[in-house]
Amino acid sequence: RLTGQYSRMGAMLDPLVDRLYIIAGIVVCWNFDLLPRWLLGILVAREVLMLLLAPFVLRAGVAVKINWWGRWGVWPAMGGLFFGICGARELGAAFLAVGVALLLVATVEYGRSVRAQLAARG
């Protein structure tokens, strides 16, 4: 990004690496009971759903652009995992709750975008 270079592989790997990073943080926080498990469960379900749906969306040739809800949601979600791992449980839970809420809105918006593009094709 710093050099302004772009590759299709990089564009495909970036969201995959983000998903795997988040899932790894969830596993640590779940295993050591660092953050509310119900929030972690919602987040892992969302991340797994995104991983499972991505190949179908790519095969359909749909252009899914990152929306602002997703951009704004990933930072508090990752921050929540970070703070939870560092021992700041209350702060981590607050960040995680905000991040999960924003990411769920982003997921709905991604679904609307995909559905609209598919409907436009007939």
Side-chain angles (χ1 to χ4, degrees), residues 38-53:
W38 65 272
L39 271 174
L40 294 170
I42 292 171
L43 184 57
V44 78
R46 188 256 183 198
E47 297 303 321
V48 168
L49 176 70
M50 297 297 279
L51 278 172
L52 293 175
L53 292 178

Side-chain angles (χ1 to χ4, degrees), residues 56-102:
F56 298 107
V57 172
L58 287 172
R59 270 190 241 124
V62 175
V64 179
K65 295 180 183 174
I66 296 174
N67 61 42
W68 283 104
W69 296 105
R71 287 183 194 266
W72 285 100
V74 74
W75 289 104
M78 288 183 178
L81 296 171
F82 171 79
F83 287 124
I85 291 169
C86 289
R89 293 181 182 201
E90 292 80 17
L91 184 60
F95 268 71
L96 186 60
V98 170
V100 166
L102 292 171

Side-chain angles (χ1 to χ4, degrees), residues 114-122:
V114 168
R115 188 175 54 199
Q117 289 182 51
L118 293 174
R121 292 183 184 176

Side-chain angles (χ1 to χ4, degrees), residues 2 4 11 20 31 34 43 47 57 60 63 67 70 78 98 100 103 105 108 112:
L2 192 59
L20 294 175
N31 187 48
L34 300 176
L43 184 57
E47 297 303 321
V57 172
N67 61 42
M78 288 183 178
V98 170
V100 166
L103 289 172
V105 173
V108 170
R112 287 181 183 171

